[in-house]
Amino acid sequence: MNRQMNRQLLSGDEAVALAALHAGVSLGTGYPGTPSTEILETFFQLGGRAQWAPNEKVAMEVALGAAFAGGRALVTMKHVGLNVAADPLFTAAYTGVSGAMIVLTADDPGMSSSQNEQDNRRYAVAAGLPMVEPSDSQESYDFFLAAIDMSERWGIPVLFRMTTRVCHGKSVVVPHPETASAPPPPHFEHDLPDRVMIPAYARPAHLRLRAKLAEIAAWGETCDLNREVARVVAGGSVLGIVASGISVQHAAEAAPGASMLTLGLTYPLPVERIRRFAASVDRCVVLEEGDPVVADAVLAAGIPIEAKADMFRFGELDVARVRRILAHDMSPEATAPSGKAPELCPACPYHTVYNTLRKHDCIGSGDIGCYSLGVLPPYQVMDTLVDMGASIGVGLGLRHTLPPDQARRVVSIIGDSTFIHSGITGLVEMIYNPPPTGHVVIVLDNGTTAMTGQQEHPATGRTLEHTRTGQVSIEAVARALGIPSVTVLDPHDDPDGFERLLLERLAASELSVIVARRPCVLAAADIRRWELQATARVLPQLPDGACEPAGAAR
Amino acid sequence: MSATGSPVTNVVMAGLGGQGVITASDILAEAALHAGLDVKKAEIHGMSQRGGLVSSDVRFGERVFSPMVPHGEADYLLLLAPTELAAVQGCLRPDGVVIGTDLVAPDDLPNKRSLNVALLGALSVYLALPQDLIRVAMLAALPEKLHATNEHAFALGREAALARRAAGG
Ligand SMILES: Cc1ncc(C[n+]2csc(CCOP(=O)(O)OP(=O)(O)O)c2C)c(N)n1
């Protein structure tokens, strides 16, 4: 009865946020990225302390510091975010942590909203960190609590890997906060050999890491993150499936009669358990989305299993594809006709900019955000798009290399959140190694991280909670770095002025930054409301007689 | 049929960004939850606000595994944007039912934005779920100022579906 009353329908992201709350996570940090963004937003709404960092590397370091302090820290990002944060990740494996640290990576097989479909299980192997993978929302909740305990028990960051369907899919969760262990109070102990990775300390740290992993591997052989369901089939031969993540659910539906070994701990793998399982069935198939990570490791251990055909490495799995894998059906798969593609909102401030770039046949070194829709007709003004921040570096490389008549048409196009994330070092490069024809960087500043659902960032001057905080000025950063020409304007209000300015800057052999500033139409009303609230909140702290900021809510 | 042999109801909802597909699927899933059933829901919502195709799967029954409705196994397709039929109709089983704007036209509604709720009303006629559970979930999902319009839309949808049924459609 009680169980029945506690049932909630939650997405995997929401379930993780709830578990983080119940586990007493002292700090959640990260950078927005589909499908991970809702975790920190929900954690805040539930009463947790959550903040956006300028990028994933900084977020990882902040979380590491919190875990060095003995806190329970959560850092969230999408799969490609882990590339940005990989440097601290690999050495955090050596330092370990005093409290708990969960590094949550949300992968996107099938690329519903990403530039690649990299499989971050590879990071667990490469960095030497345990990896936990839930297959639905209940497991997202349960496994998160388990991951916190693992992290504290072995003093090691734990990678928590989710995928789009687990993050955004909703399923029933029965929370059990009473089973969560109590967080120890934060406390700092000097421990230089453990935390200072100079070579002399790092060499023994690497040995310690491998010893921890060996212990975790032994524990993993019997831990209940990995589960076995044996089916006895009278007469017929027994099919065994080893699966992890969302494939567990597809497999349970596609092959109800199969024996299953489901892996919640995918690194280190419970090799001996898999060996026994494989020996107990007539045919053993490893089902996994993406790269053949588990299959390769199991085959390398000399266990006879079947891996999926390579055609199923691409895109997501679903029930139909799992049936095909089990049936060795490698006939070509029908591709569904595509539906209407997304497009720039009719009133988006970027239209004027893209009209102008197109009119003058610019070579667009593009970046990632809503503004990437400029790659589609009618504009097609983005000639390259690789990773966040690449617009500036790639634009400079093009300028350095192309003949002058073409070089002069190269423009870097970058959003405000992306500029803060990884555009600033691009400007440093531009100052340090300027192309002979100069360069033009357009910052499309719509006052929000529109792409991922309108999150705040350091240049909005408001926190994740939309309260007032320190504000980074994009134009002040550019000027301070020494860019000779920095202009701020509203391209929508003054399209002719924008065109004149762009042509003038392209003609000048100088370094220029144009900040095209106008709020996102989807976010404008919210931004106004947040501004009013933020202003109202700081009012009581104004000294006597100070002027009230214009537009204060009363 | 689910793995265990007990029936799972499969609903796919599709429309364009901003039409309320996700809200409608949330409402239906909550109703199934309150009916004491197992329920799962899947959707892709990357750039859903930029006017592209949005679709969402809702599955409920005694036990549900995959959150995605297998291709060709949807019992019902709730279609808010007729232009997207070609892109999504492959989800339906051969005798599956399309519930779309031919049943309730957006122009017949007091507010076009409640098309999602009107079609839910129509769907409720076909489902074994008590319609009140869907209505309650709908009210819980929407701000109070929208309750009256949406109650009305839900009722219009139900009437249209009942009429179609009576006519043998
Ligand atoms: C390393 C990395 N982190 C996060 C993302 C997800 N992401 C793509 S673009 C973007 C920011 C977009 O904001 P902005 O630059 O302000 O452009 P807008 O969408 O507002 O036009 C984010 C968070 C990503 N692709 N790569």
Side-chain angles (χ1 to χ4, degrees):
Chain A
M1 183 61 210
N2 216 358
R3 263 186 82 81
Q4 195 66 12
M5 278 167 54
N6 279 332
R7 294 166 83 235
Q8 298 182 31
L9 186 65
L10 299 179
S11 69
D13 281 352
E14 291 166 338
V16 162
L18 187 64
L21 188 81
H22 291 166
V25 163
S26 51
L27 181 63
T29 176
Y31 181 76
T34 311
S36 68
T37 313
E38 294 86 346
I39 298 170
L40 291 182
E41 291 177 330
T42 309
F43 185 52
F44 152 63
Q45 282 155 12
L46 293 172
R49 178 163 166 211
Q51 49 197 44
W52 293 128
N55 66 32
E56 294 86 352
K57 176 177 186 284
V58 175
M60 180 81 71
E61 291 154 351
V62 170
L64 185 59
F68 281 164
R72 289 181 169 175
L74 165 64
V75 55
T76 69
M77 61 200 70
K78 69 184 285 154
H79 59 342
V80 287
L82 200 53
N83 302 333
V84 177
D87 198 7
L89 180 81
F90 277 66
T91 305
Y94 281 25
T95 61
V97 291
S98 313
M101 176 164 171
I102 307 299
V103 178
L104 192 144
T105 164
D107 292 14
D108 190 13
M111 295 175 272
S112 77
S113 191
S114 303
Q115 68 265 37
N116 76 23
E117 57 180 337
Q118 69 184 50
D119 189 329
N120 277 7
R121 292 178 300 167
R122 304 280 195 198
Y123 269 113
V125 185
L129 287 174
M131 176 171 271
V132 173
E133 290 189 71
S135 75
D136 63 9
S137 301
Q138 182 71 58
E139 285 187 359
S140 297
Y141 179 92
D142 297 345
F143 289 8
F144 188 88
L145 296 182
I148 289 274
D149 290 342
M150 282 175 69
S151 180
E152 260 167 16
R153 174 167 170 192
W154 282 285
I156 194 169
V158 172
L159 279 163
F160 198 87
R161 176 178 182 259
M162 299 169 82
T163 54
T164 303
R165 297 297 181 170
V166 178
C167 287
H168 284 171
K170 287 192 175 179
S171 57
V172 182
V173 176
V174 180
H176 40 85
E178 67 286 354
T179 68
S181 58
H187 174 71
F188 193 80
E189 287 288 340
H190 296 288
D191 185 358
L192 282 65
D194 263 21
R195 302 282 183 259
V196 182
M197 289 302 105
I198 53 173
Y201 291 159
R203 286 183 200 109
H206 188 193
L207 294 172
R208 273 198 305 279
L209 169 63
R210 294 295 151 189
K212 284 181 191 175
L213 286 171
E215 269 186 40
I216 298 170
W219 172 81
E221 292 288 346
T222 55
C223 80
D224 58 12
L225 294 172
N226 305 322
R227 294 171 190 162
E228 209 169 314
V229 181
R231 296 237 159 62
V232 189
V233 182
S237 79
V238 179
L239 168 65
I241 294 175
V242 178
S244 55
I246 192 71
S247 319
V248 168
Q249 304 297 336
H250 301 324
E253 181 159 342
S259 289
M260 295 252 292
L261 174 59
T262 64
L263 304 176
L265 180 69
T266 47
Y267 188 80
L269 282 174
V271 176
E272 294 315 314
R273 191 161 181 179
I274 297 173
R275 194 186 306 280
R276 279 196 308 277
F277 177 78
S280 74
V281 295
D282 299 309
R283 174 187 173 207
C284 186
V285 180
V286 168
L287 277 180
E288 58 191 323
E289 216 166 41
D291 293 352
V293 177
V294 174
D296 283 356
V298 172
L299 285 170
I303 304 170
I305 55 97
E306 257 178 51
K308 65 178 191 234
D310 205 49
M311 64 186 276
F312 300 106
R313 169 200 284 250
F314 307 94
E316 292 188 288
L317 292 186
D318 55 24
V319 172
R321 296 188 93 198
V322 166
R323 287 190 189 121
R324 276 169 164 267
I325 293 171
L326 295 175
H328 299 293
D329 178 355
M330 287 184 298
S331 60
E333 301 174 274
T335 46
S338 54
K340 185 173 174 294
E343 53 188 30
L344 286 179
C345 301
C348 176
Y350 302 158
H351 284 290
T352 339
V353 173
Y354 288 168
N355 264 322
T356 312
L357 293 177
R358 178 161 177 81
K359 182 170 161 195
H360 297 287
D361 195 21
C362 289
I363 298 172
S365 178
D367 225 302
I368 310 189
C370 250
Y371 53 100
S372 302
L373 292 170
V375 71
L376 302 175
Y379 298 121
Q380 296 176 296
V381 288
M382 243 167 228
D383 292 285
T384 66
L385 188 163
V386 184
D387 65 293
M388 284 185 75
S391 58
I392 302 183
V394 168
L396 292 170
L398 288 166
R399 283 254 182 183
H400 285 307
T401 312
L402 288 171
D405 61 316
Q406 283 198 318
R408 280 191 191 289
R409 287 189 282 128
V410 177
V411 174
S412 293
I413 309 156
I414 187 167
D416 48 336
S417 187
T418 305
F419 178 83
I420 297 289
H421 178 281
S422 45
I424 298 173
T425 41
L427 287 195
V428 173
E429 164 71 7
M430 178 158 118
I431 293 283
Y432 189 54
N433 294 308
T437 57
H439 189 42
V440 177
V441 174
I442 300 176
V443 183
L444 294 171
D445 181 4
N446 60 356
T448 189
T449 315
M451 171 87 171
T452 43
Q454 299 138 32
Q455 288 73 34
E456 305 284 10
H457 58 70
T460 71
R462 291 178 307 270
T463 64
L464 181 146
E465 310 180 4
H466 309 299
T467 53
R468 176 86 66 225
T469 186
Q471 180 169 19
V472 174
S473 158
I474 294 171
E475 55 274 27
V477 167
R479 290 194 185 107
L481 288 173
I483 307 289
S485 167
V486 179
T487 318
V488 182
L489 88 180
D490 180 337
H492 186 84
D493 265 5
D494 186 9
D496 296 337
F498 176 76
E499 184 173 13
R500 272 197 308 277
L501 176 70
L502 180 70
L503 292 180
E504 179 209 303
R505 295 328 304 164
L506 287 173
S509 294
E510 215 178 41
L511 301 179
S512 313
V513 169
I514 300 173
V515 182
R517 178 168 293 150
R518 185 183 180 87
C520 162
V521 284
L522 291 175
D526 283 332
I527 292 176
R528 274 196 299 277
R529 189 166 47 82
W530 294 329
E531 270 303 298
L532 284 175
Q533 285 168 359
T535 310
R537 266 193 218 113
V538 297
L539 272 184
Q541 290 156 19
L542 288 180
D544 281 353
C547 294
E548 279 182 25
R554 296 259 83 189
Chain B
M1 287 282 164
S2 76
T4 52
S6 62
V8 166
T9 304
N10 291 321
V11 182
V12 173
M13 304 190 183
L16 299 176
Q19 283 194 304
V21 170
I22 308 284
T23 308
S25 62
D26 276 338
I27 292 169
L28 180 61
E30 278 292 337
L33 177 81
H34 288 289
L37 297 172
D38 191 15
V39 48
K40 285 193 179 170
K41 180 184 133 99
E43 72 223 1
I44 295 284
H45 51 76
M47 295 197 87
S48 55
Q49 278 179 301
R50 318 314 179 275
L53 168 65
V54 180
S55 85
S56 180
D57 298 0
V58 183
R59 317 186 70 194
F60 49 90
E62 205 173 294
R63 182 88 166 90
V64 182
F65 293 108
S66 172
M68 293 135 81
V69 173
H71 194 74
E73 293 184 23
D75 304 295
Y76 305 98
L77 168 61
L78 212 77
L79 187 63
L80 282 78
T83 51
E84 302 307 299
L85 179 65
V88 289
Q89 66 183 352
C91 70
L92 272 180
R93 57 170 219 230
D95 58 345
V97 178
V98 181
I99 294 170
T101 46
D102 54 329
L103 204 55
V104 192
D107 288 338
D108 297 343
L109 294 169
N111 182 345
K112 283 181 202 178
R113 303 205 50 172
S114 23
L115 177 65
N116 57 348
V117 170
L119 296 187
L120 266 182
L123 176 69
S124 71
V125 169
Y126 293 88
L127 300 179
L129 287 179
Q131 59 146 320
D132 269 353
L133 283 181
I134 305 181
R135 277 188 47 250
V136 169
M138 180 264 287
L139 296 178
L142 299 172
E144 216 172 310
K145 60 174 194 243
L146 299 179
H147 283 186
T149 7
N150 282 285
E151 286 265 31
H152 187 61
F154 191 85
L156 277 179
R158 268 191 80 81
E159 277 165 32
L162 287 168
R164 174 151 100 180
R165 262 213 179 156

